[in-house]
């Protein structure tokens, strides 16, 4: 039995909106699971249902071997870090940390020890006597983490805790959270719509779409073997390029008649499907300055400088395409030839959107 | 470096804008207050034809009057009870209303519209409700074995007055408390749900402290209400009867000054009242506000 088990959980809001549609997931002890997906896909709803802040309309939640979906939030032995931190404004940092312990009848000396330990860990000892308004965003974030850590719960829940921080602090806190999670080997579920956060933090990523799971896998899996067009387009920035093609013998034919020869080991995957969407990540495409047979013809458009690399926008067979090129000197060629290695081909069934 | 601060040109126009307000305060507050202070040192004949400086004579009479002491005590107890009950009941109702998911608005409207009733009308309505012959509540009390007689029994009259005063003040408090409750961020309430299982404890440790600014503001409002605005209720309901047992300080000012035509004594009372309210306000701001987190 895992640390957390969701069994076909369903959530239909009173207004009839079905936010979560029968979702099952098993989380191992100490695992860091990240839920990602576009806005409105039900990430917060799932997290809040686990916390007990929303009641399920179907399914079961087990933490360890306890069934918790009928328990009140305080009895589930979870801690949650909110997007806006939700610190108690009338209490000092110390009291904010101590509050949950005090209500659970922990002894004062024990509370003091735990609060100071957590404060040490998060380097917030200097602010223990301050009220939350007297802290910066990053400090509040730490206090919010501290409030979760002192209770030493079985499960940590994070609902976009970094989204109110500026980019630099966010990157810093991201690393801190990861370190902390490793150190405490705390089972955690982290909600974000930022794919960089998802990729960097997760042991496993759960990609959600419309209240259902699209894919569960390690960050590498999700990035290199996206299970569907949705996952492929959602993970990665700039997003994967897609070409609609038709299968003709061993070739894929683009809408403008260009033929691409499918690598031999991809052929069995086709399985008789004829309408194929081909996906290629922008950074895996190489350019050649001459247009030759066997290369894909690319109509050059705008360029964007990113520092580490350059983005080159353009078109292939009337579809928008982006290239991410580490070194590219701009010349005036109206057209370039494109090629990509054999492991860069992602084939999807155009109809079902599933990976082949 | 030069002084970069923006300097607004001084113009008389702003003074023109606040002039009406200042005039109103001067005419309707400072002038009567000064008059009262002046009159409290004078002895005037009932027709206002002649008056004579008597120093602290009016105050001496006042403080040696056992009836005044009774009025003073009644006012204090009455104000404390009215403020306490109207705040407590309104808070309870607001907390309950805030937890209702469906049909919240009709419930709110029902609780709020009593506010629109003028005190005198409320007094007359209550007069009928408590009337010996036709009153609903009067009948109920009698059925419960309480020989309810507000016309003759000072305690019964006080109970009646307090009930009506509280009832009249609940809507205001309710509206403010509800607004205060809804101003508490949802995520803080949720964090509290995770940290604390016991709803009562949660209320007293999280909700109430966050409502404290509202409660303090309402406390000031309610004390003022009990002191002054209940005049209309008293005048229609008991006129201070029986035997002055439901007379508040304000009502006594009116009785002695307008009905008793003893302007000097009545003025001395208003001066005392003024000082009392001033002292109360200072106490409230000094000692209570300090404990409040904003
Ligand atoms: N209380 C509610 N009543 C009705 N519908 C709701 C309620 N809360 C959320 N929803 C709907 O449920 C869906 C999922 O909402 P949820 O907050 O879980 O999205 P999310 O994935 O967290 O999005 P975001 O990334 O914007 O935070 C949305 O379509 C939303 O409109
Ligand atoms: Mg959300």
């Amino acid at each position: 039995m895992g640390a957390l088990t969701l069994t076909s959980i369903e959530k239909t809001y009173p207004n009839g909106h079905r936010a979560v549609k029968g979702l099952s997931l098993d989380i191992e002890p100490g695992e860091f699971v990240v839920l990602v997906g576009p806005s409105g896909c039900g990430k917060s709803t799932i997290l809040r249902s686990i916390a007990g802040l929303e009641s399920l309309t179907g399914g079961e939640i087990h933490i360890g071997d306890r069934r918790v979906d009928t328990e009140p939030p305080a009895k589930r032995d979870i801690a949650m870090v909110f997007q806006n931190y939700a610190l108690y404004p009338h209490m000092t940092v110390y009291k904010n940390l101590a509050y949950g312990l005090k209500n659970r009848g922990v002894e004062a000396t024990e509370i003091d020890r735990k609060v100071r330990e957590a404060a040490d860990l998060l380097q917030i000892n200097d602010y223990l006597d301050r009220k939350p308004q007297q802290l910066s965003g990053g400090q509040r974030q730490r206090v919010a983490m501290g409030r979760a850590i002192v209770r030493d719960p079985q499960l940590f829940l994070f609902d976009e805790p970094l989204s109110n921080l500026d980019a630099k602090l966010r990157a810093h806190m991201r690393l801190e959270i990861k370190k902390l999670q490793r150190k405490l080997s705390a089972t955690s579920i982290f909600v974000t719509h930022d794919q960089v956060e998802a990729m960097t933090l997760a042991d496993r990523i759960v990609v959600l779409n419309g209240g259902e799971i699209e894919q569960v896998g390690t960050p590498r899996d999700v990035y290199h073997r996206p299970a569907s067009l949705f996952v492929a387009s959602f993970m990665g920035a700039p997003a994967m390029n897609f070409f609609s093609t038709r299968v003709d013998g061993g070739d894929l034919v683009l809408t403008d008649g260009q033929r691409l020869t499918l690598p031999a080991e991809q052929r069995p995957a086709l399985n008789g499907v004829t309408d194929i969407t081909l996906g290629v990540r922008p950074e895996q495409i190489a350019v050649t300055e001459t247009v030759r047979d066997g290369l894909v013809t690319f109509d050059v458009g705008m360029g964007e400088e990113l520092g580490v690399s350059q983005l080159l926008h353009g078109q292939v067979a009337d579809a928008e395409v982006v290239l991410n090129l580490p070194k590219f000197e701009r010349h005036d060629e109206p057209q370039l030839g494109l090629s990509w290695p054999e492991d860069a081909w992602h084939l999807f069934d155009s109809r079902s959107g599933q990976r082949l | 470096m030069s002084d970069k601060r923006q300097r607004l040109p001084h113009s008389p126009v702003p003074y023109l804008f606040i002039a009406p307000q200042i005039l109103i305060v001067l005419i309707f507050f400072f002038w009567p207050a000064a008059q009262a202070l002046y009159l409290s040192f004078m002895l005037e004949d009932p027709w206002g034809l002649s008056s004579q400086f008597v120093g602290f004579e009016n105050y001496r009479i006042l403080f040696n009057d056992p009836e005044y002491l009774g009025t003073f005590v009644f006012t204090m107890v009455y104000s404390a009870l009215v403020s306490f009950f109207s705040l407590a009941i309104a808070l309870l109702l607001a907390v309950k209303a805030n937890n209702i998911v469906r049909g919240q608005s009709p419930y709110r409207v029902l609780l709020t519209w009593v506010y629109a009733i003028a005190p005198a009308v409320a007094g007359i309505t209550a007069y009928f409700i408590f009337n010996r012959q036709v009153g609903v509540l009067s009948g109920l009390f009698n059925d419960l074995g309480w020989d309810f007689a507000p016309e003759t029994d000072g305690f019964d009259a006080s109970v009646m007055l307090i009930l009506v005063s509280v009832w009249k003040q609940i809507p205001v408090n309710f509206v403010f408390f509800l607004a205060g409750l809804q101003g508490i961020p949802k995520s803080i309430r949720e964090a509290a749900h995770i940290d604390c299982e016991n709803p009562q404890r949660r209320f007293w440790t999280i909700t109430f402290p966050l409502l404290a600014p509202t409660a303090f503001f309402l406390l000031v409002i309610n004390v003022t209400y009990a002191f002054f605005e209940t005049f209309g209720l008293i005048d229609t309901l008991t006129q201070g009867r029986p035997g002055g047992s439901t007379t508040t300080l304000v009502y006594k000012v009116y009785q002695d000054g307008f009905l008793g035509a003893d302007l000097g004594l009545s003025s001395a009372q208003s001066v005392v009242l003024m000082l009392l309210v001033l002292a109360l306000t200072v106490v409230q701001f000094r000692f209570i506000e300090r404990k409040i987190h904003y």
Side-chain angles (χ1 to χ4, degrees):
Chain A
M1 184 128 258
L4 173 77
T5 315
L6 307 179
T7 321
S8 332
I9 60 166
E10 293 258 355
K11 174 68 189 178
T12 305
Y13 280 109
N15 65 0
H17 183 83
R18 251 184 108 200
V20 183
K21 303 167 186 164
L23 180 142
S24 298
L25 187 66
D26 242 311
I27 296 178
E28 297 303 316
E31 202 177 13
F32 200 130
V33 170
V34 175
L35 307 182
V36 281
S39 191
C41 69
K43 305 181 293 291
S44 297
T45 306
I46 294 168
L47 204 68
R48 294 164 52 77
S49 305
I50 298 171
L53 301 171
E54 302 284 353
S55 53
L56 289 181
T57 47
E60 291 180 12
I61 301 175
H62 290 263
I63 292 178
D65 41 21
R66 275 184 309 137
R67 181 173 173 182
V68 296
D69 47 280
T70 47
E71 301 266 335
K75 285 235 166 135
R76 296 191 178 191
D77 202 11
I78 49 102
M80 185 154 168
V81 179
F82 291 82
Q83 179 171 3
N84 59 6
Y85 319 136
L87 301 176
Y88 308 122
H90 58 296
M91 296 184 190
T92 60
V93 169
Y94 185 96
K95 286 190 175 156
N96 261 283
L97 296 194
Y99 184 67
L101 293 172
K102 211 167 142 193
N103 291 324
R104 285 173 174 78
V106 181
E107 250 178 78
T109 49
E110 177 73 359
I111 291 179
D112 192 63
R113 193 183 61 73
K114 288 192 168 180
V115 168
R116 299 208 181 267
E117 200 177 282
D120 270 341
L121 195 63
L122 290 160
Q123 296 154 6
I124 50 173
N125 331 45
D126 295 345
Y127 326 123
L128 285 178
D129 293 328
R130 292 206 207 160
K131 297 261 178 82
Q133 307 93 297
Q134 299 161 317
L135 300 176
S136 72
Q139 291 163 344
R140 283 182 211 181
Q141 171 63 59
R142 282 165 193 278
V143 176
M145 298 274 302
R147 189 169 67 182
I149 288 173
V150 273
R151 293 222 342 260
D152 191 18
Q154 274 184 286
L155 183 65
F156 286 88
L157 304 171
F158 300 86
D159 195 355
E160 309 203 26
L162 303 181
S163 57
N164 285 355
L165 303 177
D166 65 54
K168 202 174 155 204
L169 196 55
R170 190 186 308 186
H172 177 72
M173 284 307 292
R174 197 170 71 208
L175 202 63
E176 298 254 306
I177 290 182
K178 176 114 178 168
K179 276 193 214 153
L180 215 59
Q181 192 266 342
R182 286 287 133 84
K183 190 163 169 183
L184 304 170
S185 50
T187 315
S188 309
I189 304 181
F190 188 105
V191 162
T192 179
H193 56 240
D194 180 323
Q195 46 164 310
V196 181
E197 264 169 37
M199 294 294 289
T200 52
L201 285 171
D203 292 325
R204 266 198 306 164
I205 292 182
V206 178
V207 185
L208 294 164
N209 182 21
E212 285 171 307
I213 293 181
E214 283 277 335
Q215 185 172 7
V216 184
T218 62
R220 273 171 182 277
D221 267 353
V222 171
Y223 189 79
H224 293 293
R225 290 191 56 82
S228 64
L229 273 175
F230 176 83
V231 178
S233 61
F234 187 76
M235 300 300 290
M240 189 184 271
N241 296 304
F242 296 108
F243 310 95
S244 19
T245 65
R246 288 188 55 76
V247 179
D248 183 16
D251 291 349
L252 296 183
V253 187
L254 295 180
T255 47
D256 67 348
Q258 294 192 66
R259 301 180 81 88
L260 310 176
T261 313
L262 202 58
E265 79 260 26
Q266 297 267 23
R267 269 173 218 169
L270 292 184
N271 223 344
V273 180
T274 54
D275 290 321
I276 301 268
T277 300
L278 166 65
V280 187
R281 296 232 175 252
E283 58 276 16
Q284 290 190 297
I285 302 179
V287 293
T288 313
E289 285 175 19
T290 49
V291 180
R292 272 194 283 117
D293 237 17
L295 296 181
V296 177
T297 313
F298 174 71
D299 298 314
V300 181
M302 289 278 293
E304 281 181 294
E305 178 63 51
L306 295 183
V308 261
S309 63
Q310 293 79 34
L311 296 186
L312 188 60
H313 297 265
Q315 292 190 319
V316 170
D318 294 331
E320 297 291 333
V321 168
V322 186
L323 314 182
N324 192 351
L325 305 163
K327 279 196 216 78
F328 179 68
E329 286 306 322
R330 179 102 209 214
H331 302 291
D332 313 322
E333 301 86 354
Q335 289 193 322
L336 294 168
L338 305 184
S339 64
W340 47 83
E342 292 192 354
D343 63 353
W345 297 68
H346 298 277
L347 302 181
F348 301 97
D349 182 340
S350 296
R351 273 203 209 108
S352 68
Q354 294 304 306
R355 184 185 189 87
L356 293 172
Chain B
M1 250 182 60
S2 65
D3 187 0
K4 287 250 178 73
R5 250 190 321 167
Q6 182 92 8
R7 280 181 196 274
L8 293 172
H10 277 283
S11 116
V13 177
Y15 298 103
L16 275 177
F17 282 131
I18 58 169
Q21 182 66 33
I22 290 193
L23 268 179
I24 286 173
V25 173
L26 283 178
I27 295 174
F28 291 102
F29 181 71
F30 281 102
W31 188 59
Q35 277 281 318
L37 193 63
Y38 168 73
L39 285 174
S40 70
F41 294 112
M42 307 298 278
L43 184 62
E44 195 166 344
D45 70 81
W47 294 276
L49 295 176
S50 68
S51 61
Q52 172 195 0
F53 182 79
V54 291
F56 282 94
E57 179 66 14
N58 285 324
Y59 291 96
R60 205 186 53 74
I61 297 174
L62 198 59
F63 290 130
N64 287 323
D65 180 3
E67 200 181 310
Y68 188 67
L69 186 70
T71 304
F72 186 89
V73 171
F74 173 75
T75 308
M76 288 300 151
V77 174
Y78 167 77
S79 302
L81 289 177
V82 168
S83 302
F84 175 78
F85 282 111
S86 55
L87 283 172
I89 296 172
L91 180 57
L92 186 73
L93 290 173
V95 168
K96 295 291 174 207
N98 196 38
N99 289 341
I100 292 183
V101 181
R102 275 160 214 260
Q104 206 181 52
S105 55
Y107 186 65
R108 273 189 242 165
V109 170
L110 275 177
L111 277 168
T112 313
W113 67 15
V114 176
Y115 187 39
I117 301 173
V121 177
I124 290 169
T125 314
Y127 177 80
F128 284 110
I129 291 174
F130 288 103
N131 185 281
R132 274 264 213 159
Q133 277 78 44
V134 297
V136 188
L137 271 184
S138 190
L140 179 72
F141 288 154
N142 284 328
D143 290 346
L144 290 175
W146 178 7
D147 189 13
F148 190 72
E151 296 89 347
T152 52
D153 188 313
F155 178 77
D156 291 1
S158 307
V159 168
M160 173 174 78
L161 191 62
I162 289 172
L163 277 179
V164 179
S165 307
V166 167
W167 168 72
K168 182 74 185 71
Q169 186 61 6
I170 284 175
V172 191
N173 297 344
F174 172 77
V175 169
F176 278 97
F177 273 134
L178 193 62
L181 281 170
Q182 292 184 336
I184 298 176
K186 190 171 160 224
S187 60
I188 289 190
R189 284 210 303 267
E190 291 176 343
H193 267 274
I194 294 175
D195 273 342
C196 180
E197 197 198 339
N198 183 329
Q200 263 106 35
R201 199 182 161 87
R202 214 157 52 220
F203 177 81
W204 291 113
T205 50
I206 304 288
T207 314
F208 190 73
L210 293 178
L211 269 187
T214 311
F216 172 69
F217 163 76
L218 286 177
L219 179 68
V220 176
I221 298 282
N222 279 265
V223 170
T224 317
Y225 162 80
F227 261 76
F228 297 103
E229 279 171 59
T230 47
F231 179 91
L233 285 181
I234 298 173
D235 198 43
T236 44
L237 214 50
T238 65
Q239 288 99 32
R241 284 189 294 257
S245 60
T246 57
T247 308
T248 59
L249 290 171
V250 171
Y251 200 71
K252 195 160 165 55
V253 169
Y254 163 77
Q255 279 183 323
D256 290 354
F258 288 80
L259 307 179
D262 190 345
L263 273 188
L265 193 63
S266 160
S267 298
Q269 288 179 21
S270 19
V271 172
V272 171
L273 187 59
M274 217 150 50
L275 292 177
L276 190 68
V277 170
L278 194 71
L280 266 180
T281 312
V282 169
V283 166
Q284 283 173 336
F285 274 91
R286 256 285 162 78
F287 297 105
I288 304 182
E289 196 198 18
R290 215 181 262 174
K291 298 215 161 114
I292 287 178
H293 149 87
Y294 282 99

